[in-house]
Amino acid sequence: MRTDIPHLVSEHRECDELLHRAENALNDGQLTEALVLLNRFSDMLNRHLQEEEQDWFPAFEKQTGMTTGPTAVMRTEHADIRDMAAQAAGAANTGQAEEALAAIDTLNVLLQQHNVKEENILYPMLDRVLGAKAEGSACCGGCTCSG
């Protein structure tokens, strides 16, 4: 199983762009456009998080035996991100633009901090562990997998 790191990173950027566009629409008073963009953002975000949680994280945990390590932290952050995205969408859906913008500000911070950890720490670990297993070579040596 070879991870597709560029794909995962690209999805981070696409989500960021959709959220930025939704924020701009709210700032410009374009509530309908903001709602469309927030829905697209939520759909993409949820697909991305599900892919990580259902495919990549379990494969990593199976190979390393680490179930309380980095993937557990990422799952907790995913829950926080989902909650804040729901707050932003809920506020926008009820016409509360200022509340939606405040939630988006917090969401932007959460996403940026989360993405940095995934892109610089977790994704390289996934690639080393899962890529090494797929190629039949030795693991990175920094884990407890049988590679």
Side-chain angles (χ1 to χ4, degrees), residues 1-139:
M1 176 181 218
R2 173 58 77 182
T3 52
D4 187 355
I5 302 302
H7 165 74
L8 295 170
V9 172
S10 174
E11 286 185 344
H12 284 174
R13 300 302 168 261
E14 290 175 45
C15 284
D16 291 345
E17 178 61 23
L18 286 170
L19 188 59
H20 179 69
R21 289 174 53 204
E23 181 178 28
N24 286 343
L26 281 169
N27 280 321
D28 292 342
Q30 300 173 346
L31 186 59
T32 302
E33 177 68 10
L35 289 170
V36 168
L37 291 165
L38 281 171
N39 285 331
R40 287 178 53 202
F41 163 78
S42 292
D43 289 346
M44 175 171 264
L45 176 71
N46 285 321
R47 277 192 312 271
H48 176 81
L49 298 179
Q50 285 176 346
E51 179 183 349
E52 289 178 343
E53 293 171 350
Q54 293 174 3
D55 297 336
W56 302 116
F57 294 0
F60 176 82
E61 291 164 348
K62 181 178 179 184
Q63 292 301 324
T64 64
M66 291 191 306
T67 58
T68 59
T71 53
V73 172
M74 293 299 105
R75 282 188 181 97
T76 299
E77 291 183 10
H78 286 180
D80 294 341
I81 289 166
R82 283 183 176 107
D83 288 346
M84 193 53 59
Q87 285 183 33
N93 277 318
T94 59
Q96 299 172 330
E98 291 303 315
E99 289 81 357
L101 286 166
I104 288 172
D105 282 344
T106 301
L107 183 55
N108 272 318
V109 171
L110 289 174
L111 285 170
Q112 295 314 308
Q113 292 173 346
H114 178 79
N115 291 350
V116 164
K117 287 184 255 183
E118 281 191 339
E119 292 172 17
N120 294 314
I121 299 168
L122 183 61
Y123 288 172
M125 290 173 70
L126 290 174
D127 201 41
R128 280 192 306 270
V129 171
L130 299 177
K133 266 318 221 195
E135 295 165 8
S137 61
C139 179

